Each structure stands twice: as structure tokens, then as C-alpha cells.
Amino acid sequence: MHDLLKAKASKKSKLLSEGADWTFEKIQIYDEAIGKIAAEYGLDTYPNQIEIISSEQMMDAYASVGMPLGYHHWSYGKQFLNVEQNYKRGRMGLAYEIVINSSPCIAYLMEENNMMMQALVIAHACYGHNSFFKGNYLFKTWTDATAIIDYLVFAKKYVQDCEEKYGIEEVELTLDSCHALMNFGVDRYQRPLPLSAEEERNRVSEREAILQQQVNDLWRTVPSALKIIPESEKALCFPSEPQENLLYFLEKHAPLLKPWQRELIRIVRKMAQYFYPQRQTQVMNEGWATFWHYTLMNGLYDKGLVTDGFILEFLQSHTNVVAQPEFDSPYYSGINPYALGFAMYTDIKRICEEPTDEDKQWFPDIAGKPWLEVLNFAMKNFKDESFILQFLSPKLMRDFRLFGLENNAMDSYVEVKEIHNETGYRKLRERLAQQYNLSHREPNIQVQTVNIYGDRRLVLRHIMDSERPLNDDTKEVLKHFHRLWGFDVTLESWNHTELMETFYSKADDV
């Protein structure tokens, strides 16, 4: 009896804390303990900065796409009211955390959380997301974690100054149009320059002058009734080749924009570029963070640092996070990225540690290899589309009961094309991977030509993917393009060599 009491006392003395309430000291203790376990697994992270905020502030961060330091825009206020009403009426819950890809990596924790939830969030955000931001090639290529906070401060100040100088309405009209075209403001193949606030501040005046000079050079030939344009010059096309970054094209070449409007386009374009990796790695990023919060929290329990009640409460929350409703459930809203990502990383670990004959046939390069090494390789070198193509196993397709549907717009029925069986595995995997291909999800629209010697009409070209037409929002988006361009805009939709539909936007439409 004495030994039992002694063992209990010893176990109790190892606990990091007791009770559900958190304090700043406890958060620091848990952060250090989780950090030690993360280091044992070799997780490489930026320094962490943990902020405690209220649910009201979390809703505000929600509404500003996770950027509490972002510039003002009416749409964020609208989004805030929408989130607030849904939250107060019990229609939705709030995320337990928001984390910013910066160095130091800033994680916002809600003050309403209990101690277990704060620990879960620390493991998820401060060591899961943080190590993904630092390790994945897309984030390393497209974002600069050391500069984003300064750039946000610069952007916020610049927009405020514009509002004071030119009026809130004028600024918001420009931002409205920029936001409508935000997804078309990304360089897909060229690494952007790092976001440096100091550089931006120093170069704003210089850039304004250079940009305006470029625009003046381009348009100095038109319109002029007196000047005769040589035919050889008229035959030259502008631009010399199609341009896919629509916001960049407008920033550089729109004839009537003022320098401050070009700078606003640049700010929105930079934000679009910053979020580009996140849009391509949702399954991988959330799956990685979920895998590591599960591993690290169990590490705390295995070391005797938390109680049985603590780990049971954690498992209940974790189970809710990775729940995947069936396709015919009223709660189904697509594949849960947390569920798929967590299952894939867990499955990769299984394939490494306990490969079956099927695994050895499908994954000869990783079956039986050290799991931590393989997991890091997968995290660092892929995006959602290629990650699924490379690592989704037949076992996981069976576990998720995946099947593929063919929904041709010309047919009155939906066809089940593949199921999770021997003949369907590869097709099914390709079909799922395609859903995460941004070029498949977003229309391919490029600037084709500009009439620089006449009415300045601009022609955009849309190339159909799988014969899918543009949706009903096209005309509205075209109005925003017209507002920034300043002259008539035509959008041609092509299916291979056949012109399917033409959209117009004229001055009266805006």
C-alpha cells in the first residue's frame, strides 16, 4: 500500500499542471515540454510567439483572412458581422487558433480555451504548421517569413494614407476591383521578390515615377490625328505574348490609373502571392499539423506529464477534428482536409514500419524505410496534387470508401466511373488529385491583345478546361477589370480552336 501511494505521489509530481484552467506560466511550461518532444523528432521551426486573444478578436482575425494587421476594407467588416451572427446563434464554432507564416511564427490562442485545448493548439500551430511553413518548398519559394509582418504594417499605413488623401470611397472602389481579380494576380512560374517593408517604403516614390513613365511611353502614340503611324509599327502586337498575371499587367500598363492606384494593385497582388502556397497545400498543411499535434500530445502522456483525463479529453477533440461525414450525410461538405491529410501521413508511417505485400508493390521506394525521413521528404517536396498522386494508397482509398463521379454538363445523369477496387485505384487517385490542381479549379484567362493605336480595347482569352464554360459571375468580374483598365474589355472563351462565347464590358456597364 505504501509503495502504491508512493508511486501515485511520484506520478503526480511529474504532471505539468492540474485542473482545466490555464495561466501564462502554465502555457509556458507546456510550450517548453511540447517543444522538447518536437525537438526529439527533429521538427525544425521558426521561433514561436504566442498571443492570447478573445473570441471577439478571433472573429476579427477570421474576417480579415487570418491577418489581424491587414489593411481596412469594407468586406472584412461584412465578413466579421457574418461570422459574429453565426457564432452567437450557434451555427458555427470558431477555430481554436490562427497562425501566421512569419518569423517569429505568431500563433493566436483563444482565452476561452481550457488548458488542454491551449496545449493542443500549441502542438498544432507552434510546432505543426510552423515546421511546415519553414520546410515546404512552396513556402520557401514564394514567401518570406521574416518580412510579412513589416509588409502588412506598410500596406495598412499606405491604404490609410490613401483614404485620407483621395477619400475612402475611391480607395475601396479600387480595392473592390483588385479583390475580384486577386486569384489572377499570381506569378506561377517566377519567384517573386521578398516582401520587405523597408524596401517598399524606400522605393514607393521611385517606383511610382518609373511606372508612370513606362505607361506614358506605351500610350504616347495614341490617340493622335496628326501623327502618321507606320504600317510596320501597327503590325506589332501588344503584349508580345499572352500575359497570365492580370493584376500585374494592369499595374504596369493600364492607361488611366493614378500612381497610388497602381500601388494598391501591387499590395493586393503581393497578398495573393503570399496566400498562393496555402491554397495549394491545404491537405498537406492541415494534415501535417494534425499528425504532429496527435504525436506530441501522446508524447506528453507517454512521459507521464499529463493525466488520463487530459488525454481522453484531447482524443475527443482530435476525433472531432478528423471526422469525415459520409457522402450522403447532411453534414457532408466535401473531403475534410484534416481527415485526409492526417490519414495520409499516418498511412505513410505505417507503410514504412509495417508494409504489406500490397504496400511493397505500390510503394517500393518507401516500404520499410525510416518513417521520419520519409515523412519529412513528403512534407518538403510536394503540394496537395502531387502529394496525393504520390502517396495515396489503396488501403486508404478503401478506408475512405472513395469513388469517382463523372458529371458531364451535356448528360442528364451522373455516372459512377471508378470505385475503390483493383481496376479503379489509379484512376481514382488521379481524379482526386485533379481536384486539388489549381489550374483545374480556376479558369485559365490571359491577356491576349490590346489595341494601342485605336480605341484601347483589351481582349482577354479564356481556354476551356474539360469543356467547362465560365459561370454566371463572369460579367461582374469583367466589370472590375474594365474599371481598372479604363476602356472596353472583351473576353473570348475558346474550346480548343472554336470560339464558344464572347463577353463584353463597356463604360456603361461599370
Side-chain angles (χ1 to χ4, degrees):
M1 180 63 76
H2 178 72
D3 290 343
L4 185 61
L5 289 173
K6 197 173 176 181
K8 281 186 177 179
S10 172
K11 187 177 179 183
K12 199 171 179 180
S13 67
K14 289 176 65 179
L15 295 177
L16 296 178
S17 71
E18 288 185 89
D21 295 335
W22 64 267
T23 63
F24 289 106
E25 290 75 20
K26 286 183 183 178
I27 284 180
Q28 187 172 357
I29 290 170
Y30 274 89
D31 180 36
E32 288 173 0
I34 293 170
K36 281 182 185 173
I37 301 174
E40 291 171 10
Y41 285 106
L43 288 183
D44 185 21
T45 62
Y46 296 119
N48 280 305
Q49 179 178 327
I50 297 173
E51 304 275 352
I52 309 294
I53 60 176
S54 66
S55 57
E56 194 87 0
Q57 290 170 310
M58 183 63 85
M59 284 188 275
D60 190 33
Y62 241 56
S64 53
V65 288
M67 290 296 183
L69 294 174
Y71 55 81
H72 294 153
H73 186 253
W74 65 267
S75 62
Y76 300 146
K78 178 187 173 188
Q79 179 67 11
F80 175 83
L81 288 175
N82 185 39
V83 170
E84 184 186 38
Q85 287 179 1
N86 284 328
Y87 176 62
K88 289 184 174 175
R89 291 173 183 173
R91 293 176 188 160
M92 65 173 283
L94 289 179
Y96 300 130
E97 47 76 30
I98 281 182
V99 59
I100 296 180
N101 168 27
S102 60
S103 180
C105 183
I106 304 174
Y108 293 94
L109 279 59
M110 277 213 297
E111 64 182 5
E112 288 87 345
N113 291 345
N114 64 15
M115 191 58 245
M116 186 286 298
M117 194 57 72
Q118 304 293 35
L120 189 161
V121 170
I122 290 170
H124 185 91
C126 299
Y127 296 95
H129 283 307
N130 188 344
S131 57
F132 192 88
F133 292 148
K134 192 172 182 184
N136 181 265
Y137 82 99
L138 280 174
F139 286 87
K140 289 166 75 173
T141 305
W142 298 94
T143 66
D144 184 349
T146 61
I148 182 62
I149 296 299
D150 281 349
Y151 189 80
L152 288 173
V153 172
F154 157 78
K156 186 173 186 176
K157 176 76 168 49
Y158 190 86
V159 172
Q160 281 176 342
D161 290 344
C162 287
E163 287 175 343
E164 289 175 10
K165 285 183 187 174
Y166 311 110
I168 293 176
E169 190 176 352
E170 280 296 308
V171 172
E172 291 202 332
L173 281 174
T174 304
L175 286 176
D176 286 350
S177 297
C178 294
H179 287 181
L181 301 170
M182 198 167 183
N183 289 346
F184 300 99
V186 175
D187 290 315
R188 297 170 201 269
Y189 308 109
Q190 183 181 353
R191 188 188 191 282
L193 293 172
L195 299 171
S196 166
E198 189 61 32
E199 247 178 65
E200 294 295 334
R201 271 191 294 271
N202 294 337
R203 292 176 56 190
V204 161
S205 304
E206 182 186 349
R207 190 167 54 237
E208 285 178 358
I210 293 173
L211 271 176
Q212 203 57 45
Q213 183 60 42
Q214 287 176 347
V215 172
N216 293 341
D217 288 345
L218 175 64
W219 299 109
R220 71 182 188 280
T221 56
V222 288
S224 173
L226 300 176
K227 186 174 180 182
I228 299 173
I229 310 297
E231 288 302 319
S232 59
E233 195 172 326
K234 283 185 179 178
L236 295 175
C237 289
F238 181 81
S240 57
E241 56 187 29
Q243 303 288 310
E244 65 153 3
N245 190 330
L246 304 188
L247 280 183
Y248 182 81
F249 182 84
L250 289 167
E251 178 193 334
K252 300 295 182 189
H253 303 300
L256 303 180
L257 288 181
K258 300 177 178 67
W260 64 270
Q261 290 175 306
R262 297 185 199 282
E263 194 62 37
L264 289 186
I265 293 178
R266 181 179 169 84
I267 287 172
V268 174
R269 191 164 62 75
K270 290 285 184 183
M271 289 296 102
Q273 203 81 59
Y274 175 79
F275 284 113
Y276 187 55
Q278 302 199 20
R279 292 165 57 214
Q280 294 186 91
T281 56
Q282 194 183 14
V283 169
M284 287 186 69
N285 196 352
E286 294 301 352
W288 179 260
T290 306
F291 176 87
W292 282 110
H293 83 221
Y294 181 82
T295 304
L296 298 175
M297 293 290 275
N298 275 288
L300 288 180
Y301 181 70
D302 293 341
K303 289 177 181 291
L305 302 176
V306 296
T307 63
D308 293 346
F310 181 100
I311 202 68
L312 283 173
E313 188 184 354
F314 157 71
L315 288 173
Q316 185 179 21
S317 295
H318 172 77
T319 304
N320 291 336
V321 168
V322 297
Q324 175 59 62
E326 300 285 337
F327 79 98
D328 54 353
S329 162
Y331 302 105
Y332 180 81
S333 59
I335 294 179
N336 177 357
Y338 295 82
L340 181 60
F342 173 73
M344 286 189 66
Y345 285 114
T346 307
D347 196 47
I348 291 171
K349 185 181 176 187
R350 178 194 64 77
I351 292 169
C352 292
E353 292 185 323
E354 300 170 357
T356 63
D357 290 341
E358 182 182 61
D359 296 326
K360 290 174 184 172
Q361 181 189 345
W362 277 71
F363 305 102
D365 293 339
I366 66 171
K369 296 284 174 60
W371 70 269
L372 204 50
E373 193 179 301
V374 175
L375 221 62
N376 273 314
F377 173 77
M379 177 274 284
K380 289 180 177 175
N381 297 292
F382 295 86
K383 55 184 176 181
D384 283 348
E385 178 196 0
S386 53
F387 180 62
I388 290 169
L389 270 178
Q390 188 74 25
F391 295 107
L392 184 65
S393 71
K395 176 185 181 303
L396 218 55
M397 286 185 254
R398 291 193 294 271
D399 290 348
F400 272 74
R401 297 181 175 84
L402 297 179
F403 57 90
L405 295 178
E406 184 89 1
N407 185 12
N408 192 319
M410 304 302 290
D411 295 333
S412 59
Y413 55 86
V414 175
E415 184 180 2
V416 178
K417 294 288 284 186
E418 300 92 19
I419 61 171
H420 44 270
N421 62 6
E422 197 62 39
T423 57
Y425 287 139
R426 293 190 189 281
K427 285 283 184 187
L428 199 51
R429 188 163 70 172
E430 287 171 13
R431 189 183 289 273
L432 182 62
Q434 186 74 343
Q435 289 185 17
Y436 295 93
N437 181 351
L438 278 190
S439 61
H440 178 74
R441 286 155 54 186
E442 294 174 351
N444 178 8
I445 298 176
Q446 300 183 355
V447 175
Q448 197 67 21
T449 59
V450 177
N451 182 358
I452 58 174
Y453 296 110
D455 60 3
R456 305 186 184 185
R457 175 183 294 274
L458 183 145
V459 179
L460 301 168
R461 173 171 289 199
H462 165 239
I463 308 297
M464 279 189 176
D465 180 72
S466 305
E467 301 183 355
R468 286 183 303 165
L470 292 167
N471 63 24
D472 297 336
D473 295 335
T474 305
K475 289 183 179 176
E476 288 302 314
V477 176
L478 213 55
K479 288 179 187 174
H480 289 289
F481 201 100
H482 186 290
R483 178 183 290 158
L484 295 176
W485 179 247
F487 296 91
D488 292 354
V489 179
T490 301
L491 171 60
E492 298 175 348
S493 183
W494 290 77
N495 187 17
H496 302 293
T497 56
E498 186 180 1
L499 178 61
M500 304 301 292
E501 195 172 4
T502 305
F503 302 85
Y504 301 96
S505 181
K506 300 178 180 177
D508 296 342
D509 299 334
V510 181

